[in-house]
Amino acid sequence: MNGIGGTVVQQSELAGRVALVTGAGQGIGEAVTRALVARGARVAALDRTPDGIKDLEAEFGSDTVTAHTADVADATAVEAVVDEVERTLGPLAILVNVAGVLRTSPVIDITDEEWNRTFAVNSTGVFHTSRAAARRMSERRSGCIVTVGSNAAGVPRTSMAAYAASKAAATMFTKCLGLELARSGVRCNVVSPGSTDTAMQRGLWADEEAPRRVIEGDPASYRVGIPLGRIADPADVADAVTFLVSDRARHITMHDLYVDGGATLRA
């Protein structure tokens, strides 16, 4: 058992529900997959590369986790995966959009390929998966969609214009979708992490002092630190996601939950 906000979460909380998690092969996506499984869900783990998701399938067994290799930027591939999931596992009750890419560069140096790929995954990919899920969920008048965005969507970051803009687009898309689907009972929310200990985050660290600078802040890049004094663990983000897809959040939709230790000083 685990706890969020003093509420004991039973292992059976999501029992019988089918979830699709994109970017499930590592980092936050893997943590979300594990958290959903721990609460009783059957998870279709989707990633562009098979290694991580195949490991999850082998660890939990194909009755609990199934691996699906596809690029969320490919609409046809996404539809095929969702069709297969519903045919083999059952009606999709939960979608968690985690798949994302980060390419850092000053705007004047960003290539067209870098810009286009960032939006293809971080924004258009969310559109592809959410559209496929929403069509089915709205007909059944039940379901939850959570998009993992970023606190960079709400605060300018140097050398992160493509990433921040793509996450801002995904955030607003998810809120608009939530408004359109509200009358059908389908809820759509966003979880916006700050610095989280993942391969993506570690790829930004040039030396051993980098984590300290993240926590303390960097005036040279106009970036404040993390008031709580720690970098998030992927499980911190996964706990927020699992709360939002649970019945404990049944009256929450179009919400953007920041999980950043206070780094954005958000009102």
Side-chain angles (χ1 to χ4, degrees):
M1 294 187 295
N2 190 11
I4 299 176
T7 301
V8 175
V9 181
Q10 303 293 334
Q11 186 177 3
S12 61
E13 181 177 46
L14 301 176
R17 301 187 197 183
V18 175
L20 172 63
V21 180
T22 73
Q26 62 178 340
I28 292 172
E30 179 185 349
V32 168
T33 299
R34 292 181 179 279
L36 292 173
V37 167
R39 288 157 176 81
R42 300 180 70 190
V43 180
L46 185 151
D47 207 290
R48 189 184 181 193
T49 56
D51 294 345
I53 53 177
K54 286 292 187 182
D55 290 343
L56 287 168
E57 184 180 72
E59 178 181 348
F60 290 107
S62 58
D63 288 340
T64 301
V65 175
T66 55
H68 304 266
T69 304
D71 186 344
V72 294
D74 183 339
T76 301
V78 166
E79 285 286 347
V81 168
V82 174
D83 280 342
E84 181 182 0
V85 169
E86 293 228 328
R87 186 176 65 254
T88 59
L89 299 182
L92 187 62
I94 297 166
L95 166 66
V96 186
N97 294 304
V98 187
V101 297
L102 169 63
R103 304 229 171 95
T104 57
S105 175
V107 171
I108 60 175
D109 296 326
I110 296 174
T111 66
D112 290 351
E113 187 279 329
E114 290 171 331
W115 178 272
N116 292 335
R117 181 59 184 168
T118 299
F119 271 82
V121 176
N122 297 357
S123 304
T124 307
V126 170
F127 162 63
H128 289 158
T129 54
S130 298
R131 179 180 61 182
R135 284 171 172 165
R136 295 160 173 85
M137 290 178 178
S138 60
E139 290 180 356
R140 295 189 289 263
R141 305 187 67 79
S142 177
C144 299
I145 296 172
V146 173
T147 295
V148 175
S150 170
N151 65 356
V155 176
R157 299 286 194 220
T158 58
S159 296
M160 293 179 67
Y163 180 78
S166 67
K167 288 294 188 176
T171 295
M172 185 52 70
F173 165 80
T174 303
K175 290 182 178 182
C176 290
L177 180 64
L179 182 60
E180 292 182 6
L181 297 181
R183 291 294 178 89
S184 72
V186 178
R187 299 184 295 106
C188 302
N189 291 291
V190 180
V191 172
S192 293
S195 297
T196 305
D197 191 0
T198 62
M200 180 184 288
Q201 176 67 213
R202 289 176 176 267
L204 301 175
W205 296 349
D207 54 57
E208 294 180 355
E209 293 300 308
R212 178 185 60 79
R213 289 193 296 272
V214 169
I215 293 171
E216 294 181 356
D218 182 12
S221 62
Y222 312 102
R223 183 167 183 161
V224 300
I226 304 175
L228 282 182
R230 59 183 288 269
I231 293 171
D233 185 88
D236 296 320
V237 183
D239 278 346
V241 171
T242 52
F243 165 68
L244 287 172
V245 302
S246 76
D247 292 341
R248 289 172 294 137
R250 66 181 185 178
H251 205 56
I252 301 174
T253 194
M254 295 178 282
H255 182 65
D256 187 0
L257 176 57
Y258 274 47
V259 184
D260 67 355
T264 52
L265 307 181
R266 189 167 183 255

